[in-house]
Amino acid sequence: MGLYAAALSALGQSPASQVLHLDKGWSFSEGGKDKWQEATVPGTVHQDLLRLKLLPDPFFGTNEQQVQWVEDKDWEYRTSFTLTQEQVAHSGALLEFKGLDTYADVYLNGSLILKAENMFVGYEVPVKEVLRAGENRLNIYFYSPINKTLPQWDSNGFDYPADNDHHDKHTSVFTRKAPYHYGWDWGIRMVGCGVWRPIELKLFEVADIKDYYVRQLSISRNKAEISNELEVYSIEDTDTQAEVVFTCSLKGQEVMVNKVPVVLTPGKNLVKSDMTILNPSLWMPHGWGEATLYDFKTEVRKAGGQVIDQVSCRSGLRTVRVVNEEDKDGKSFYFEVNGIPLFAKGANYIPSDIILNNVKEEDYRRLFRNVKAANMNMIRIWGGGIYEEDYFYQLADENGILVWQDFMFACTSYPSDPAFLNLVEQEAHYNIRRLRNHASIAMWCGNNEIIEAIKYWGWDKKFSKEVHQGMFTGYNKLFRTLLPNKVKELDPDRFYLHSSPDSANWGRPESWGWGDSHYWGVWYGVQPFEVLDTRLPR
């Protein structure tokens, strides 16, 4: 049983490996009821119940109230798949769950193979010893995220100030699940569960690629210095002679090929190979030129040339620097792309639907058409939603749209006990490795508005001095220590901001010269848009 990061934008199949997509033949039932009906996977329980007309349209009238019972129930999903004798004869077998929402026990052929507890990570489980020739049965038991965390809420001693959680007991802070599912000031509450991202079975021989990082060491108009960094896991008991082939191409034309002889030892192997690309075509933001993307591919070959595993990704060569420096007016805050200051124009992006699997690829394509038509060059993935689909970032890369990426925390303090911090560390590890090859990722941000909330939203009056001070202590553990350390470890060339806003506050004019600001005078303060002509953040 284990959790692995798989920052692979495309997984290639070779004669030595095979990937099966487990998206057919699913059914679901309320937990313990044994009343099975057809299910859609990937999907969510709300999506299935709505399709079967067992729920009213939650967006009509006051129907939101009539769908709340779903969150208090457990739900079961199951399917079966058939394998041949040749398939189960593979030396290695991994079952990858790209997204389980959220608390789930997973059983394969009677064996408990996984206990999931984080919506925001992918789980990869070795299942070689559990598979059978013929029928294989896969069952997933999802626990009510409310009932699962009520003991934590009850033993905590105070109710967290998660006022967007539309329940009298704020359990959302304990669960690594999309915060907006619990309600928000702009959205309804639908706390569901389900297999929200695909499940795949990988059958392979000898070794399996865990991660491929195309690290940009130095980029200029004259040359690009690249480090190809590969993590390969060998399942053999002895050393294996192999060759790793790194290829870089542009628009179908090979730019460079590096061949590295390696000895794969049992377990984890790290392989590095540097590349120099002369006169590179740089990736440019929308409005500046072409968002050029290079194709990087790596193959692990056994002696004799047989491909054991392969992986590829697309990445643009560019530099992005956040200029956040003290000056005579306070502290600057702007982006430089390829050494040129950028006037960032964009929007704060919330998930497109409360039921995530309702959002299709065409919806994402339309979104980016609209982003470009509005002359935007940047979009912020807000911390109360999700780490978006791979396709979202692919479109951002292709369209020259920079992405300000929040970690998924917003508008409340959070626990900071060891168990919770461990969950967050796994989440950060998984998503940083998943996203760091994308040219569009401009920066990482720890959260939305939490330090401002602790300071200025009246929590010092609502809670005891000890509890309020504990919020600062927990904040520092989570957002000033754990997350920046993970960014430094895994994506050291990108900027990290602990919170947005980091220091300025809309009601304190003396702070407007410091960093970024959320000016809530418009809307919350009932001021007209025109005040933004004079009340300017950096």
Side-chain angles (χ1 to χ4, degrees):
M1 209 184 313
L3 178 151
Y4 297 85
L8 313 181
S9 57
L11 180 66
Q13 291 187 209
S14 68
S17 68
Q18 184 179 10
V19 176
L20 306 178
H21 302 276
L22 304 184
D23 57 358
K24 300 291 191 298
W26 286 89
S27 56
F28 82 112
S29 170
E30 184 181 328
K33 291 292 182 69
D34 202 31
K35 294 182 179 178
W36 296 92
Q37 301 188 74
E38 182 184 354
T40 300
V41 169
T44 71
V45 68
H46 284 109
Q47 193 175 37
D48 285 325
L49 293 169
L50 284 165
R51 176 175 47 80
L52 295 168
K53 302 191 184 309
L54 298 175
L55 288 180
D57 180 353
F59 294 105
F60 182 81
T62 58
N63 284 350
E64 178 186 357
Q65 299 167 15
Q66 298 179 43
V67 304
Q68 296 309 308
W69 62 270
V70 176
E71 69 181 42
D72 296 319
K73 306 295 184 181
D74 297 345
W75 298 92
E76 299 179 73
Y77 279 73
R78 71 184 185 188
T79 191
S80 63
F81 56 94
T82 302
L83 297 178
T84 65
Q85 195 68 52
E86 291 75 20
Q87 287 173 318
V88 297
H90 279 82
S91 300
L94 294 169
L95 201 52
E96 184 179 359
F97 303 87
K98 295 179 181 289
L100 296 175
D101 178 12
T102 293
Y103 298 105
D105 291 344
V106 182
Y107 299 88
L108 178 62
N109 294 333
S111 176
L112 175 61
I113 62 170
L114 174 66
K115 295 182 76 68
E117 53 184 345
N118 192 327
M119 175 182 177
F120 299 130
V121 301
Y123 296 93
E124 195 175 80
V125 186
V127 292
K128 165 66 178 174
E129 304 303 321
V130 187
L131 292 176
R132 302 168 179 167
E135 185 184 41
N136 291 262
R137 297 184 176 187
L138 180 63
N139 288 47
I140 305 176
Y141 191 98
F142 288 98
Y143 294 92
S144 159
I146 307 304
N147 295 333
K148 190 74 173 176
T149 48
L150 277 174
Q152 287 180 270
W153 180 89
D154 192 52
S155 65
N156 189 56
F158 66 91
D159 195 28
Y160 277 89
D163 293 338
N164 290 300
D165 182 337
H166 298 166
H167 194 287
D168 59 348
K169 298 176 180 178
H170 296 158
T171 60
S172 57
V173 296
F174 301 108
T175 302
R176 295 312 299 144
K177 174 178 172 59
Y180 83 107
H181 284 178
Y182 293 81
W184 216 264
D185 51 15
W186 47 260
I188 69 174
R189 178 185 177 97
M190 286 180 68
V191 185
C193 64
V195 183
W196 76 293
R197 281 178 173 162
I199 300 175
E200 295 176 350
L201 175 63
K202 181 177 182 181
L203 306 171
F204 65 99
E205 303 292 341
V206 184
D208 162 55
I209 294 174
K210 296 297 184 190
D211 184 60
Y212 179 31
Y213 180 22
V214 180
R215 184 176 178 188
Q216 303 184 23
L217 301 176
S218 174
I219 307 294
S220 71
R221 295 186 181 277
N222 297 323
K223 66 178 180 179
E225 301 284 356
I226 303 295
S227 175
N228 292 281
E229 302 179 7
L230 192 69
E231 182 182 323
V232 187
Y233 192 91
S234 172
I235 59 172
E236 299 288 275
D237 295 329
T238 58
D239 292 352
T240 303
Q241 298 291 329
E243 180 182 59
V244 178
V245 181
F246 296 98
T247 306
C248 174
S249 303
L250 177 62
K251 298 179 180 178
Q253 299 296 313
E254 232 173 55
V255 174
M256 183 164 292
V257 178
N258 285 0
K259 297 183 178 181
V260 183
V262 297
V263 177
L264 298 178
T265 60
K268 185 168 76 170
N269 296 264
L270 301 177
V271 184
K272 288 187 179 183
S273 177
D274 292 339
M275 282 183 177
T276 300
I277 301 172
L278 298 177
N279 302 313
S281 179
L282 298 184
W283 183 91
M284 290 292 188
H286 174 51
W288 279 22
E290 186 178 355
T292 303
L293 294 172
Y294 284 78
D295 291 294
F296 294 89
K297 180 181 178 181
T298 182
E299 292 182 339
V300 180
R301 299 175 180 173
K302 203 173 179 181
Q306 182 190 24
V307 176
I308 298 169
D309 203 0
Q310 63 185 26
V311 66
S312 61
C313 74
R314 305 190 80 200
S315 191
L317 305 179
R318 85 295 175 272
T319 62
V320 177
R321 186 169 81 98
V322 178
V323 183
N324 189 212
E325 300 168 347
E326 292 190 20
D327 56 26
K328 62 182 179 61
D329 299 312
K331 198 172 187 180
S332 63
F333 196 100
Y334 65 93
F335 294 82
E336 273 186 4
V337 181
N338 298 324
I340 305 169
L342 175 82
F343 188 89
K345 299 171 286 186
N348 188 64
Y349 177 80
I350 63 175
S352 292
D353 202 298
I354 190 73
I355 301 175
L356 289 164
N357 298 92
N358 283 346
V359 187
K360 306 305 181 186
E361 288 191 352
E362 174 52 32
D363 298 313
Y364 284 121
R365 289 192 290 269
R366 183 175 65 251
L367 168 71
F368 278 93
R369 288 196 297 269
N370 291 340
V371 164
K372 291 179 74 173
N375 294 310
M376 296 182 185
N377 55 25
M378 182 173 285
I379 197 165
R380 176 192 179 210
I381 304 296
W382 168 76
I386 61 167
Y387 305 92
E388 264 295 345
E389 296 292 328
D390 292 340
Y391 190 58
F392 181 101
Y393 301 99
Q394 177 186 327
L395 288 172
D397 292 343
E398 293 172 356
N399 287 284
I401 305 301
L402 291 156
V403 175
W404 166 320
Q405 179 67 54
D406 280 8
F407 290 96
M408 292 302 115
F409 302 90
C411 301
T412 180
S413 57
Y414 283 85
S416 59
D417 58 274
F420 186 83
L421 293 178
N422 182 55
L423 277 179
V424 174
E425 183 172 14
Q426 292 175 1
E427 174 184 320
H429 187 94
Y430 178 80
N431 286 289
I432 294 171
R433 298 218 308 183
R434 180 170 74 94
L435 299 179
R436 63 187 175 181
N437 283 335
H438 288 282
S440 54
I441 300 290
M443 61 169 282
W444 296 95
C445 179
N447 67 76
N448 176 72
E449 297 181 349
I450 294 178
I451 194 64
E452 174 165 290
I454 296 174
K455 288 181 177 179
Y456 302 125
W457 289 6
W459 296 350
D460 57 331
K461 309 280 195 307
K462 185 176 181 180
F463 298 97
S464 69
K465 183 178 180 181
E466 291 74 22
V467 168
H468 189 240
Q469 186 56 49
M471 292 178 181
F472 283 102
T473 303
Y475 182 94
N476 290 337
K477 287 181 184 179
L478 191 50
F479 302 113
R480 295 186 190 271
T481 302
L482 190 157
L483 289 176
N485 285 348
K486 292 305 290 187
V487 171
K488 185 177 181 181
E489 173 194 349
L490 299 172
D491 197 10
D493 307 312
R494 281 193 177 92
F495 180 79
Y496 172 84
L497 184 71
H498 67 91
S499 184
S500 179
D502 63 330
S503 52
N505 175 265
W506 76 272
R508 294 169 173 77
E510 68 279 4
S511 73
W512 296 345
W514 291 82
D516 74 320
S517 173
H518 295 193
Y519 193 80
W520 288 116
V522 175
W523 179 66
Y524 180 80
V526 203
Q527 295 175 345
F529 284 110
E530 287 77 9
V531 302
L532 296 175
D533 290 337
T534 55
R535 302 188 177 189
L536 302 176
R538 297 301 299 275

